[in-house]
Amino acid sequence: AQSVSQHNHHVILSEAASLELGCNYSYGGTVNLFWYVQYPGQHLQLLLKYFSGDPLVKGIKGFEAEFIKSKFSFNLRKPSVQWSDTAEYFCAGAGTASKLTFGTGTRLQVTL
Amino acid sequence: DTGVSQNPRHKITKRGQNVTFRCDPISEHNRLYWYRQTLGQGPEFLTYFQNEAQLEKSRLLSDRFSAERPKGSFSTLEIQRTEQGDSAMYLCASSRGQGNSEAFFGQGTRLTVV
């Protein structure tokens, strides 16, 4: 069965701290991986995606993620977070039908 | 705004009533998805359409749930005889459906069953 797991449920960081959110996946066959962000009161927005090629992918707002096939991981990183990064972050995987399987999400709180 | 549009944004209904939600996808997208999200969880897949054909339904979609996309454009999700456990955010997403294409989400319809 396809599954995506996120181990950090709630993360609190000070502004300018570095961020790494964990994501592990379990898929049979080819998998496309995504990170979505949901700011308070807003809809899910795509941060970045991995389909193939360079395992280090860069997204919007300074976020990046690294696909490590041997570890079944796709962790999200940002060198220096801002207060405006406060949001919920979801890792998701999709097979050929583009149907997404989401992790449970990580709530990030950035303090000033 | 040319994003995915969902109506209504909020719906409060009494247990046992029927409710219907509408989703208007991005116009050139031929795939449309419905997801359900409860508090503290990620969205869970319910069903998806390729044009007007419903290609997959999750086991989460009981017989009380029905979705349609009659002309391959907008879609409706109906819940009959609502139960308190149906309270959730119902999300719609659309994608081009060609190869590796990303899904764009609407703002959702929050259903509260009292």
Side-chain angles (χ1 to χ4, degrees):
Chain A
Q2 302 163 345
S3 68
V4 173
S5 60
Q6 294 180 243
H7 309 298
N8 315 105
H9 298 295
H10 189 193
V11 173
I12 302 173
L13 294 173
S14 300
E15 249 197 348
S18 65
L19 170 72
E20 181 161 4
L21 301 182
C23 172
N24 289 93
Y25 66 92
S26 174
Y27 263 77
T30 303
V31 60
N32 299 322
L33 294 163
F34 306 81
W35 276 97
Y36 280 86
V37 61
Q38 189 167 30
Y39 299 103
Q42 295 190 26
H43 61 281
L44 282 163
Q45 300 172 42
L46 184 69
L47 269 181
L48 48 79
K49 60 191 176 188
Y50 173 78
F51 291 152
S52 63
D54 189 343
L56 184 62
V57 291
K58 294 190 184 299
I60 60 171
K61 306 187 181 188
F63 286 91
E64 65 178 32
E66 185 174 11
F67 171 64
I68 303 180
K69 190 173 181 180
S70 61
K71 296 184 178 179
F72 301 95
S73 70
F74 188 58
N75 292 353
L76 180 71
R77 300 194 294 247
K78 186 171 184 179
S80 176
V81 294
Q82 300 174 316
W83 179 79
S84 58
D85 293 325
T86 294
E88 189 144 20
Y89 293 81
F90 293 94
C91 182
T96 54
S98 302
K99 175 186 74 175
L100 291 163
T101 299
F102 284 86
T104 52
T106 298
R107 184 175 300 277
L108 172 65
Q109 185 178 347
V110 180
T111 60
L112 296 171
Chain B
D1 188 286
T2 57
V4 178
S5 175
Q6 291 188 246
N7 287 286
R9 293 287 307 280
H10 303 274
K11 178 71 177 179
I12 300 174
T13 191
K14 291 184 179 179
R15 190 172 48 186
Q17 297 295 304
N18 299 345
V19 294
T20 300
F21 311 140
R22 176 179 170 125
C23 171
D24 288 90
I26 294 171
S27 58
E28 63 267 28
H29 286 182
N30 54 27
R31 281 197 182 169
L32 186 147
Y33 308 82
W34 285 99
Y35 292 84
R36 181 172 67 188
Q37 186 177 18
T38 53
L39 202 60
Q41 299 295 318
E44 295 172 295
F45 170 78
L46 293 178
T47 188
Y48 92 95
F49 293 83
Q50 173 90 18
N51 299 313
E52 66 275 11
Q54 188 173 18
L55 295 187
E56 186 174 345
K57 293 194 291 186
S58 162
R59 282 173 287 182
L60 291 175
L61 214 63
S62 77
D63 291 345
R64 296 183 298 104
F65 287 71
S66 63
E68 295 182 341
R69 194 182 182 197
K71 297 181 180 178
S73 57
F74 73 92
S75 175
T76 57
L77 178 67
E78 181 184 17
I79 309 174
Q80 296 181 324
R81 305 181 304 281
T82 52
E83 301 173 356
Q84 286 189 323
D86 297 331
S87 296
M89 178 75 85
Y90 289 84
L91 299 171
C92 178
S94 69
S95 74
R96 291 185 186 279
Q98 296 168 0
N100 299 324
S101 54
E102 65 189 76
F104 294 81
F105 282 81
Q107 292 194 290
T109 295
R110 182 170 296 283
L111 173 66
T112 303
V113 182
V114 298

